[in-house]
């Protein structure tokens, strides 16, 4: 932290600021410029900069270290690579997760999973416990949905990511899923984050609807601090004054997070736009901007989906997008599932 004193601050004021900081256990290094005194402050404890700003003679206080530690690049220089079976998340390969918003019935889950796998997705997504804005909307099939999703993931040799909304669901979800998803509405459910910190499965942590990048990384810190090092960040659009799209997808969060953190970053262009006709452009942009992966809603019959149909791609649209990503990823030095399973003679 750097404390810049006001021009003309007197020795008594400077002395009091130094004494206050030393009292808190900080080391203070003073330098006197032509017109101002500047104090460099280091120490292991975090000091509320606003309290220092209120002291007499202080002009401004600048924080130079991030409030999150384990999530920061300062703590770990190399990218974190998360292993899920034979899958590596955060490495060279761009990983695509795809599937329906919600599991609805066996045929829907099976058909959608088959289409996603054929196109090159490695992880099946799908909700069994759904956070819906209205209590009257479809809330998900619960454990029956988890069973349908797990069976489809096994049948199509995919991993499974599914949302956990509450501590009470962790136990049942652990039995079915490979990766927990924490939804945007739960990004600051600190009791849930703490509990997931005690588990040993990766957590896909979505950015909150109105969360700053710093708040998002602090939420990741809760999971990391519990001992679970496998956190995947996911940009899914934030709420702005723009209302044409459902949310505003913050593509710039990708390079910003890459600079601030070693954790993998994914992008969800489905919730980010809310419209299937805008999903492909944003998915392409996300990969070009350096995202480590995508999570995309695909449905075998999106016009009749029980949730998020408007933003769910038809299988053929998703297939085409994957073909486009196979051109973009190598252009920026990344790989992506090169051959769709179907072309390798995979059939089911
Ligand atoms: C979802 O993935 O279906 C979902 C509800 O996402 P979000 O938490 O980003 O709204
Ligand atoms: Mn959804």
């Amino acid at each position: 932290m750097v404390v810049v004193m006001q021009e003309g601050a007197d020795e008594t004021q400077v002395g009091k600021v130094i004494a206050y900081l030393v009292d808190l256990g900080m080391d203070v290094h003073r330098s006197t410029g032509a017109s101002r005194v500047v104090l460099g402050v280091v120490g292991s404890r975090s000091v509320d900069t606003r309290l220092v700003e209120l002291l007499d003679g202080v002009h401004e206080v600048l924080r130079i270290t991030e409030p999150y530690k384990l999530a920061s690049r300062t703590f770990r220089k190399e990218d974190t690579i998360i292993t899920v079976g034979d899958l590596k998340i955060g490495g060279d390969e761009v990983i695509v997760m795809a599937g329906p918003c919600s599991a609805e019935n066996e045929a829907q889950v099976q058909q959608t999973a088959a289409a996603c796998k054929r196109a090159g997705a490695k992880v099946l997504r799908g909700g069994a416990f759904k956070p819906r804005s209205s209590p009257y909307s479809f809330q998900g099939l619960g454990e029956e949905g988890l069973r349908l999703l797990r069976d489809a993931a096994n049948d199509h040799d995919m991993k499974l990511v599914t949302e956990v909304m509450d501590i009470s669901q962790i136990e049942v979800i652990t039995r079915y899923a490979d990766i927990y998803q924490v939804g945007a509405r739960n990004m600051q459910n600190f009791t849930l984050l703490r509990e997931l910190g005690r588990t040993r499965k990766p957590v896909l942590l979505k950015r909150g609807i109105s969360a700053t990048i710093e708040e998002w990384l602090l939420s990741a810190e809760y999971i990391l601090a519990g001992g679970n090092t496998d956190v995947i960040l996911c940009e899914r659009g934030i709420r702005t004054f723009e209302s044409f799209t459902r949310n505003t997808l913050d593509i710039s969060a990708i390079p910003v997070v890459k600079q601030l953190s070693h954790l993998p970053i994914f992008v969800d262009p489905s919730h980010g736009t809310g419209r299937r006709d805008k999903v492909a452009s944003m998915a392409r942009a996300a990969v070009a901007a350096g995202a480590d992966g995508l999570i995309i809603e695909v449905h075998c019959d999106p016009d009749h989906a029980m949730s998020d149909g408007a933003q769910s791609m038809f299988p053929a649209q998703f297939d085409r997008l994957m073909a486009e990503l196979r051109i973009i990823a190598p252009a920026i030095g990344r790989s992506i599932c090169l051959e769709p399973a179907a072309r390798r003679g995979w059939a089911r």
Side-chain angles (χ1 to χ4, degrees), residues 100-102 125 130 206 246 268 270-271 297 307-308 311:
C101 177
S102 312
R125 67 140 289 149
K130 295 303 301 177
K206 293 223 182 167
R246 181 177 179 185
D268 173 347
S270 310
H271 293 84
E297 287 184 339
S307 61
D308 286 348
Q311 67 193 35

Side-chain angles (χ1 to χ4, degrees), residues 28-334:
V28 183
H29 304 267
R30 171 178 177 155
S31 72
T32 309
S35 57
R36 295 176 192 274
V37 171
V38 174
L39 306 173
V41 184
V42 286
S44 53
R45 71 174 276 184
S46 76
V47 176
D48 186 340
T49 53
R50 292 168 305 173
L51 288 172
V52 183
E53 261 164 8
L54 289 169
L55 298 175
D56 276 351
V58 172
H59 171 64
E60 78 178 316
V61 180
L62 309 164
R63 225 181 46 202
I64 50 174
T65 51
E66 312 89 359
Y68 44 86
K69 304 282 172 234
L70 306 174
S72 78
R73 274 267 179 223
T74 319
F75 175 74
R76 198 186 138 95
K77 298 268 171 289
E78 330 74 66
D79 290 343
T80 284
I81 298 181
I82 298 170
T83 306
V84 191
D86 56 352
L87 213 64
K88 297 226 179 309
I89 295 175
D92 282 346
E93 184 180 351
V94 174
I95 301 294
V96 180
M97 306 176 170
C101 177
S102 312
E104 299 169 12
N105 57 64
E106 186 172 354
Q108 171 250 7
V109 174
Q110 282 288 342
Q111 281 173 35
T112 306
C116 293
K117 171 71 184 192
R118 230 177 358 251
K122 299 241 167 129
V123 180
L124 177 65
R125 67 140 289 149
F129 298 98
K130 295 303 301 177
R132 305 305 302 280
S133 299
S134 162
Y136 307 116
S137 303
F138 176 58
Q139 304 286 309
L141 296 181
E143 186 167 359
E144 169 62 5
L146 293 174
R147 197 182 58 72
L148 296 177
L149 290 162
R150 181 74 259 168
D151 286 350
N154 289 349
D155 291 350
H156 301 286
D157 188 24
M158 299 171 88
K159 304 288 183 267
L160 176 63
V161 59
T162 195
E163 177 158 356
V164 52
M165 287 169 55
D166 188 82
I167 300 182
S168 62
Q169 297 161 356
I170 293 179
E171 195 265 324
V172 65
I173 290 178
T174 303
R175 285 191 268 121
Y176 293 90
D178 300 297
I179 304 171
Y180 305 106
Q181 174 177 325
V182 173
R185 293 157 191 81
N186 263 320
M187 189 205 80
Q188 289 189 314
N189 181 341
F190 300 122
T191 42
L192 176 64
L193 300 177
R194 262 191 212 289
E195 209 51 42
L196 291 171
R198 293 204 187 95
T199 67
R200 289 298 173 265
K201 283 190 180 182
V203 180
L204 179 92
L205 177 64
K206 293 223 182 167
R207 181 178 182 178
I209 287 168
S210 302
T212 63
I213 291 174
E214 185 169 295
E215 287 164 341
W216 186 19
L217 291 171
L218 279 166
S219 289
E221 190 80 9
Y222 268 89
I223 303 169
L224 299 170
N228 186 347
T229 53
D230 292 346
V231 177
I232 305 160
L233 298 163
C234 179
E235 162 62 41
R236 47 77 73 204
I238 48 176
R239 183 159 290 177
T240 68
F241 49 83
E242 181 53 68
S243 59
F244 188 87
T245 47
R246 181 177 179 185
N247 291 292
T248 298
L249 190 66
D250 183 7
I251 294 281
S252 64
I254 303 163
V256 172
V257 164
K258 281 275 166 216
Q259 177 195 344
L260 298 177
S261 178
H262 51 87
L263 297 171
I265 171 145
F266 273 48
V267 168
D268 173 347
S270 310
H271 293 84
T273 60
R275 302 174 50 125
R276 74 170 80 98
D277 61 343
K278 303 286 176 275
V279 170
S281 336
M282 298 317 276
R284 295 190 301 253
V287 170
D292 294 301
L294 298 167
I295 177 163
I296 298 181
E297 287 184 339
V298 177
H299 195 290
C300 56
D301 181 13
D303 289 335
H304 299 99
M306 294 179 81
S307 61
D308 286 348
Q311 67 193 35
S312 299
M313 291 182 120
F314 286 97
Q317 280 179 311
F318 178 62
D319 198 49
R320 184 181 166 165
L321 167 63
M322 290 299 289
E324 292 165 347
L325 297 179
R326 276 183 206 104
I327 298 167
I328 296 171
I332 53 153
R334 307 289 296 254

